Amino acid sequence: MLTERQMKILITIIEEFVKTAEPIGSRTLSKMEHLPYSPATIRNEMADLEELGYLEKTHSSSGRIPSEKGYRFYVDYIQENSDINSDDFITISNLFTNKNIEREEAIKEAVRILSEITNYTSIVLGPSANQSRVKKFEFIPLSDKNAVLVLITDKGHVESKNLIMQDGINIKEVERVIHLMNETLVNCLVSEIPEKLNYELKPYFGKFMEYHEKLIDSILKAFTTIVRDHQYYLSGRNNIFYQPEFQDIEKLQKLMIALEDSQMLKIIQANEKGLQVRIGHENHIDAMQNCTVITVPYQISDNEYGTIAVVGPTRMEYSKVIPLVEYIAKSISKLYK
Amino acid sequence: MLTERQMKILITIIEEFVKTAEPIGSRTLSKMEHLPYSPATIRNEMADLEELGYLEKTHSSSGRIPSEKGYRFYVDYIQENSDINSDDFITISNLFTNKNIEREEAIKEAVRILSEITNYTSIVLGPSANQSRVKKFEFIPLSDKNAVLVLITDKGHVESKNLIMQDGINIKEVERVIHLMNETLVNCLVSEIPEKLNYELKPYFGKFMEYHEKLIDSILKAFTTIVRDHQYYLSGRNNIFYQPEFQDIEKLQKLMIALEDSQMLKIIQANEKGLQVRIGHENHIDAMQNCTVITVPYQISDNEYGTIAVVGPTRMEYSKVIPLVEYIAKSISKLYK
DNA sequence: ATTTAGCACTCAACTGTTGACAGTGCTATT
DNA sequence: AATAGCACTGTCAACAGTTGAGTGCTAAAT
């Protein structure tokens, strides 16, 4: 285990490195008044901390920087001694007063502010519509070639599609198809739509007119997205530019591409357990070896969960970010209760 | 005016520079079989072309690169002699067959492919809902605290909002408000919604219950976005990384930020006249001095226009991109007819 | 009157060298 | 156990020298 002094030194190095992004040397530490030891003493302690895996060197004669293990220690440490900076909290709590009763806007706004305060990138992942049930399909003809089809679920998901009737498809016929769709599909799980369309509705029509099949295929295609997709909202992506660890254009590029990749979803989505901090390699994504991802779930109905995530360099202001995301997630969850 | 030979040289320089992104020297040109002149002769011509403003040097002893005026000449030239590469066209025309009758998806997909083929960034700007009329508001209560409000317009815009009833607001009351909203607002322009809510509906309720005002404010806020916003879809943003002119991280950053800026909208939105090519400074955006923006409108109903845009470096493959965007816009417009 | 060959000149990009400097590890001393 | 001293290491920026691609100009050739 670490001695009191080692902990003090380790934490000071981390906090200093978070500020400056420069390796910290023994002389710098020795000058601090809460570390009244000579550089040599500190060097010895640093050598020990390095041997234990908490610190690293960038090259043989450089100062030290925290390792992932170092950050992990730090994160666990501050989660016990968490300390709240009230200023930012006021800004956010204002968002969730009755001025703004539209949920999605409020969440987006909160996350926008989150990335502004922290200077990192943040993400909202809304709940998937998978476990919702069809409340109704609404079909609205607009002209003889155009119509809108709207799907509304019991959890409030709304998905609309602008349909275009190609030659040979009559809008009256479509209306009949939709009518039957409603009868067949209302109250069934959104995830079952494709299956039901294919095996219950299609055979029924197939006997009569061959172009109905084409039509149903199109509708099918139109609504597969709702089954598959989560709402995914990225905010503050451009903040990455300001991080010194991403001045290298290739790393920058890889990270930006990763942020839009489906791997990202897997990371963010997996946890309903509470706050998670994934440091560096714990993310299992190549482009994110220098990144920490903090995720925290929020609840918007009995069994619907979304996630808020913050993506930043491993050299992240954990003590600021962690309480903040927790507070936001809590505020959102409170709305529903 | 330019002599035949000058034109030949100018066009060769541009096409060569588009390929390599390197300044072109007289020796290189002289080696090409359609330019059977000695380096010295070509040097003289290049000096003249520079004096006329079609070419530039990066430094006093470098080869030449095209100036904006040079590109302008080139673009005007190829638009007369446009020449269509059929391979890419097949990919795109497949998108607009009856396999896919959902308009928005088809457009997005087309633009996604556009940025893939060209390796530039492309943008769809959907028509604003401003000139649409309210067809109906649909109000769907989900629980005693949650409800969905859906607005559908005569042009097929659908906007949905998840409302959360804060303490003191009863969902039955809300239902009544929506009912009255429907009566007041159906058939009026979307752009008039705020006004009508404020001056026709609010006074009526205000007398009875003060919290109705709060409620209407919230609904108002929820639906201002639909009035203001166009659909804005960006594809292939990460292609910018591959352009040698944006290896400088600062330029890259500025461009990426500009792409999400509202100035962008103004550029893209302004023209219903047909294809436009804006080269470098013609964009009047600082971060886009090295960029060309090609825009072309598409029509989706009697008086609804959207825009497709391609953003790339001024050193762009004009002869490939221009016919392609024109073809896509035409294909989309054909859907509606 | 064009076109071309020849030559001096320019500038960017690369190379190798150097010295300053920040920091370390080790050892001897307090 | 803590510290002072010292040799050592790697980074960084500045500098000079070299190379090479390309130009402009002039004089000769067509």
Side-chain angles (χ1 to χ4, degrees):
Chain A
M1 283 294 87
L2 299 185
T3 65
E4 192 70 20
R5 192 167 71 184
Q6 282 174 323
M7 270 183 53
K8 247 195 199 161
I9 290 175
L10 175 56
I11 286 170
T12 309
I13 289 176
I14 292 176
E15 291 183 344
E16 204 57 25
F17 183 67
V18 164
K19 274 192 229 148
T20 63
E22 298 285 324
I24 317 299
S26 53
R27 227 175 64 92
T28 316
L29 289 171
S30 159
K31 272 188 246 156
M32 303 189 167
E33 75 268 314
H34 68 283
L35 292 176
Y37 315 104
S38 78
T41 308
I42 291 179
R43 276 206 291 283
N44 284 327
E45 294 286 35
M46 291 202 293
D48 289 349
L49 284 167
E50 184 176 358
E51 212 167 312
L52 290 167
Y54 294 99
L55 293 178
E56 282 171 2
K57 283 189 279 195
T58 56
H59 57 86
S60 75
S61 75
S62 76
R64 300 302 204 293
I65 62 171
S67 68
E68 288 183 14
K69 185 172 173 188
Y71 285 121
R72 170 54 54 205
F73 175 85
Y74 181 70
V75 167
D76 295 343
Y77 171 81
I78 60 161
Q79 273 186 277
E80 289 160 22
N81 315 32
S82 120
D83 158 43
I84 285 174
N85 170 354
S86 57
D87 265 15
D88 301 328
F89 284 76
I90 295 169
T91 324
I92 289 172
S93 75
N94 283 340
L95 282 177
F96 295 102
T97 59
N98 22 12
K99 266 190 200 161
N100 202 335
I101 66 164
E102 207 280 301
R103 187 180 59 215
E104 218 160 285
E105 266 327 304
I107 296 175
K108 280 186 186 174
E109 186 69 20
V111 167
R112 217 174 294 144
I113 288 174
L114 176 62
S115 56
E116 226 167 78
I117 297 176
T118 61
N119 261 304
Y120 306 124
T121 305
S122 36
I123 302 172
V124 185
L125 189 69
S128 129
N130 242 314
Q131 291 308 304
S132 314
R133 290 176 182 279
V134 175
K135 191 128 192 169
K136 68 155 102 169
F137 281 96
E138 188 132 352
F139 183 72
I140 302 122
L142 300 172
S143 70
D144 55 335
K145 292 196 79 176
N146 289 273
V148 183
L149 182 57
V150 183
L151 162 61
I152 301 166
T153 76
D154 63 339
K155 307 273 191 197
H157 298 264
V158 176
E159 188 81 13
S160 74
K161 300 285 164 185
N162 266 278
L163 303 184
I164 297 161
M165 308 301 131
Q166 301 266 347
D167 312 325
I169 298 187
N170 177 312
I171 216 157
K172 287 279 171 207
E173 293 293 337
V174 179
E175 222 155 6
R176 272 187 41 210
V177 174
I178 305 288
H179 184 72
L180 269 154
M181 262 175 69
N182 250 326
E183 287 186 355
T184 319
L185 295 175
V186 162
N187 238 2
C188 85
L189 284 174
V190 165
S191 55
E192 295 169 357
I193 294 179
E195 195 186 335
K196 292 231 171 184
L197 278 181
N198 251 325
Y199 300 113
E200 294 187 21
L201 215 65
K202 227 159 140 189
Y204 173 76
F205 274 112
K207 290 169 200 157
F208 296 86
M209 314 204 179
E210 85 284 5
Y211 73 63
H212 279 153
E213 182 155 354
K214 226 196 259 173
L215 174 63
I216 293 177
D217 278 346
S218 310
I219 294 174
L220 203 63
K221 196 173 173 212
F223 283 97
T224 43
T225 47
I226 190 174
V227 177
R228 205 186 48 220
D229 289 1
H230 294 248
Q231 182 220 88
Y232 186 79
Y233 177 75
L234 238 174
S235 172
R237 188 199 216 253
N238 291 331
N239 286 343
I240 302 170
F241 286 111
Y242 302 107
Q243 300 300 338
E245 28 274 279
F246 292 100
Q247 292 311 85
D248 175 18
I249 202 152
E250 225 179 291
K251 281 187 193 158
L252 184 68
Q253 177 180 10
K254 280 191 187 157
L255 176 56
M256 289 226 165
I257 290 172
L259 281 176
E260 290 179 350
D261 194 275
S262 52
Q263 290 177 71
M264 224 23 233
L265 283 187
K266 281 177 214 152
I267 288 191
I268 292 178
Q269 190 174 347
N271 56 323
E272 272 140 38
K273 307 149 219 162
L275 182 115
Q276 290 210 349
V277 181
R278 285 209 189 70
I279 298 165
H281 289 78
E282 296 170 14
N283 291 304
H284 303 296
I285 291 186
D286 195 47
M288 294 215 166
Q289 308 219 338
N290 300 315
C291 292
T292 287
V293 180
I294 299 181
T295 56
V296 59
Y298 64 85
Q299 188 170 12
I300 59 169
S301 84
D302 283 350
N303 44 20
E304 280 192 304
Y305 294 87
T307 314
I308 290 177
V310 176
V311 180
T314 47
R315 187 187 60 78
M316 184 189 265
E317 288 190 75
Y318 296 96
S319 59
K320 186 176 175 184
V321 178
I322 291 176
L324 216 49
V325 283
E326 272 188 320
Y327 181 74
I328 291 177
K330 218 185 290 168
S331 302
I332 296 172
S333 304
K334 224 189 275 170
L335 280 183
Y336 128 82
K337 271 166 198 154
Chain B
M1 283 299 86
L2 299 184
T3 66
E4 192 70 19
R5 193 168 71 183
Q6 283 175 323
M7 271 182 51
K8 245 194 201 161
I9 291 175
L10 176 55
I11 286 169
T12 310
I13 289 175
I14 292 176
E15 291 182 341
E16 204 58 25
F17 183 67
V18 164
K19 273 192 231 146
T20 63
E22 297 286 323
I24 317 297
S26 54
R27 225 174 68 91
T28 316
L29 290 170
S30 160
K31 271 188 246 157
M32 304 188 164
E33 75 268 316
H34 69 284
L35 291 177
Y37 314 104
S38 78
T41 309
I42 291 177
R43 276 207 290 284
N44 286 329
E45 295 285 35
M46 291 203 292
D48 289 349
L49 284 167
E50 184 176 359
E51 214 167 312
L52 291 167
Y54 294 99
L55 293 178
E56 280 172 3
K57 283 190 281 197
T58 56
H59 57 86
S60 76
S61 74
S62 76
R64 300 303 204 292
I65 62 172
S67 68
E68 287 183 15
K69 187 174 173 185
Y71 285 121
R72 170 54 53 204
F73 174 87
Y74 180 71
V75 168
D76 295 345
Y77 170 82
I78 60 161
Q79 274 186 274
E80 290 160 21
N81 314 32
S82 119
D83 158 44
I84 285 174
N85 170 353
S86 55
D87 265 14
D88 301 328
F89 284 75
I90 294 168
T91 324
I92 289 172
S93 74
N94 283 340
L95 283 177
F96 295 101
T97 59
N98 22 12
K99 267 190 202 161
N100 200 336
I101 65 163
E102 206 281 303
R103 187 179 60 212
E104 218 160 284
E105 265 328 302
I107 296 175
K108 281 186 185 174
E109 186 68 21
V111 167
R112 217 173 294 142
I113 288 174
L114 176 62
S115 56
E116 226 167 79
I117 298 175
T118 61
N119 261 305
Y120 305 124
T121 305
S122 37
I123 302 172
V124 185
L125 190 67
S128 128
N130 241 315
Q131 291 308 304
S132 315
R133 289 176 184 281
V134 174
K135 192 132 193 169
K136 68 155 103 169
F137 281 96
E138 188 130 355
F139 182 73
I140 301 119
L142 300 173
S143 69
D144 55 337
K145 294 196 76 175
N146 289 272
V148 183
L149 181 57
V150 184
L151 162 61
I152 301 166
T153 76
D154 62 341
K155 307 274 192 199
H157 298 264
V158 176
E159 187 82 12
S160 73
K161 300 286 164 184
N162 265 280
L163 302 184
I164 296 161
M165 306 303 130
Q166 300 268 346
D167 311 325
I169 297 186
N170 177 312
I171 216 156
K172 286 279 167 206
E173 293 293 337
V174 179
E175 221 154 8
R176 273 186 44 211
V177 173
I178 306 288
H179 185 72
L180 269 154
M181 263 175 68
N182 250 328
E183 287 187 355
T184 318
L185 294 175
V186 162
N187 239 3
C188 86
L189 284 173
V190 165
S191 56
E192 294 169 357
I193 294 178
E195 197 185 334
K196 292 231 173 186
L197 278 181
N198 250 324
Y199 299 113
E200 294 187 23
L201 214 65
K202 225 159 141 190
Y204 174 77
F205 274 112
K207 289 168 202 157
F208 297 86
M209 315 206 177
E210 86 283 5
Y211 74 62
H212 279 151
E213 182 154 353
K214 227 196 257 173
L215 175 62
I216 294 178
D217 278 346
S218 308
I219 294 173
L220 202 63
K221 195 173 173 213
F223 283 98
T224 43
T225 47
I226 190 174
V227 177
R228 204 187 51 221
D229 289 2
H230 294 248
Q231 181 221 89
Y232 186 79
Y233 177 75
L234 239 174
S235 171
R237 187 199 217 255
N238 292 332
N239 286 342
I240 301 171
F241 286 110
Y242 303 107
Q243 300 301 336
E245 26 276 279
F246 292 100
Q247 292 311 83
D248 175 19
I249 203 151
E250 226 181 288
K251 280 186 192 159
L252 183 69
Q253 177 180 12
K254 280 190 185 160
L255 176 57
M256 289 227 166
I257 291 172
L259 282 176
E260 290 179 351
D261 193 275
S262 52
Q263 290 177 72
M264 220 29 229
L265 283 187
K266 281 178 212 150
I267 288 191
I268 293 178
Q269 190 175 348
N271 55 323
E272 273 140 38
K273 306 148 218 162
L275 182 116
Q276 288 210 351
V277 181
R278 286 209 188 70
I279 299 164
H281 289 78
E282 297 170 12
N283 290 304
H284 303 295
I285 291 186
D286 196 47
M288 295 214 166
Q289 307 219 341
N290 300 316
C291 292
T292 287
V293 180
I294 298 181
T295 56
V296 59
Y298 64 85
Q299 188 169 13
I300 58 167
S301 84
D302 283 350
N303 44 20
E304 279 193 305
Y305 294 87
T307 313
I308 289 177
V310 176
V311 179
T314 46
R315 184 187 61 79
M316 183 189 264
E317 287 189 77
Y318 295 97
S319 59
K320 186 176 175 184
V321 178
I322 291 176
L324 215 49
V325 283
E326 272 187 320
Y327 180 74
I328 291 176
K330 218 185 290 167
S331 302
I332 297 173
S333 304
K334 222 188 275 167
L335 280 184
Y336 127 84
K337 268 165 202 156

